[in-house]
Amino acid sequence: MSQITGTTKLLGVIGNPIAHTFSPVMHNAAIAALGLDYRYVAFDVAPAQLTTALAGFAAIGVVGCSVTIPHKQAVMPLLADISPLAKAVGAVNAIWNAPEGWQGTNTDISGFIAPLKAMTRDWGETTALILGNGGAARAVVAGCHQLGCRSVRVFGRDAAKLAAFGESWQDIRLETLSSDVPTPVKLHVHLWDELGTFIDRENLLLVNSTPIGMHPHTTDSPITAEIVAKIGSNSIAYDLIYTPRPTKFLQLAQAHGAIAIDGLEMLIQQGAIAFELWLQQAAPSDIMRQALLEHLSKRS
């Protein structure tokens, strides 16, 4: 990789915590492969400092940033413009600096469904159960809608936040997401304790959109082994977390015959789309994937 100079431009990812992120690995590999004078940096930004951080980034000419937990919704009021898709979903995960101010969109949806679309499956017979009701869950709901899942159910622990999450989708249409699915998003919300009622069936897509199980809390799982044991063999367990690989949740699911998908491919695909938005050129996604796999092999 070329030396950092006074002309080097910055990209980055903002989150809190952020030490676990692999985004710099794949983005800096892509930058090096294309011979660009850029660096991608991880910025740990506390929620109370988000406004200050964006102002500082604009002042020093940061070109663009990925946005992760817990800023995907909080960043939206701070942006000058948001894509129709991100407005509909209610979450932003990629921003870039423009003359009129920060712009934002959502690339998580395409990233989330990429490994699912590669599967041969009748999504119209699949029930999606989503653990968590934060910004990441919003992209998952939209992705399940695009796939055409028979039913989408979201589970959370805070009754008031869960109800607000459900109500926020009542009048949303995602024509900007897929002209094939023009109907309003329809979903059901449930308290976490109700999960066991719905998991004892076949053709499930069970998605963990929470940070439970993320490094360093690698022995944690969002649901118990007893509940996971009810998963049918024709079901999919999908954890948006990509470190460790596999998470405790996926280990439990695999032990009971479920198909396991972690968040690595979602990370690559959403990152590649963001890269193209920032730099206006195709992202070398194969190089990004290889860099991540090599990085993971050194950690194991």
Side-chain angles (χ1 to χ4, degrees), residues 1-263:
M1 185 172 289
S2 61
Q3 184 178 0
I4 296 175
T5 70
T7 62
T8 302
K9 297 179 181 179
L10 288 180
L11 299 165
V13 54
I14 55 175
N16 179 252
I18 202 64
H20 66 280
T21 184
F22 287 4
S23 290
V25 174
M26 68 173 184
H27 282 294
N28 284 320
I31 289 166
L34 296 175
L36 304 175
D37 190 13
Y38 281 79
R39 284 295 187 279
Y40 185 102
V41 182
F43 298 104
D44 194 330
V45 177
Q49 299 301 318
L50 183 59
T51 301
T52 302
L54 287 190
F57 292 162
I60 64 173
V62 172
V63 173
C65 286
S66 308
V67 181
T68 190
I69 296 173
H71 303 313
K72 292 186 179 186
Q73 292 170 284
V75 76
M76 295 180 73
L78 308 178
L79 305 178
D81 189 49
I82 303 171
S83 71
L85 175 57
K87 286 181 181 178
V89 175
V92 162
N93 77 300
I95 61 174
W96 62 96
N97 202 350
E100 60 270 27
W102 288 102
Q103 317 287 299
T105 192
N106 192 301
T107 67
D108 275 339
I109 301 165
S110 295
F112 168 71
I113 65 175
L116 298 173
K117 289 176 70 175
M119 303 173 68
T120 301
R121 191 178 184 91
D122 183 357
W123 295 106
E125 294 298 319
T126 300
T127 296
L129 307 180
I130 303 168
L131 308 178
N133 54 280
R138 301 195 69 85
V140 175
V141 168
C144 291
H145 177 73
Q146 181 180 14
L147 287 171
C149 290
R150 176 177 59 188
S151 175
V152 180
R153 299 180 183 274
V154 174
F155 297 81
R157 300 187 188 278
D158 186 307
K161 290 181 180 179
L162 191 60
F165 183 94
E167 291 170 4
S168 71
W169 289 92
Q170 287 184 0
D171 299 319
I172 291 177
R173 292 176 179 268
L174 295 181
E175 285 88 347
T176 52
L177 178 63
S178 173
S179 58
D180 296 329
V181 192
T183 58
V185 175
K186 294 182 179 179
L187 77 156
H188 309 275
V189 296
H190 306 273
L191 287 172
W192 203 274
D193 293 344
E194 299 177 55
L195 178 62
T197 305
F198 296 96
I199 209 169
D200 189 12
R201 60 190 70 193
E202 296 289 327
N203 296 318
L204 292 180
L205 171 59
L206 180 60
V207 183
N208 177 34
S209 75
T210 79
I212 300 172
M214 184 184 292
H215 181 81
H217 305 292
T218 57
T219 60
D220 294 344
S221 170
I223 55 179
T224 65
E226 290 75 18
I227 293 180
V228 176
K230 297 181 179 181
I231 296 176
S233 59
N234 194 37
S235 294
I236 301 168
Y238 192 147
D239 201 329
L240 303 193
I241 297 170
Y242 54 85
T243 176
R245 299 187 82 203
T247 59
K248 182 67 172 179
F249 165 57
L250 291 185
Q251 290 177 42
L252 293 172
Q254 283 180 304
H256 292 285
I259 300 166
I261 302 174
D262 67 24

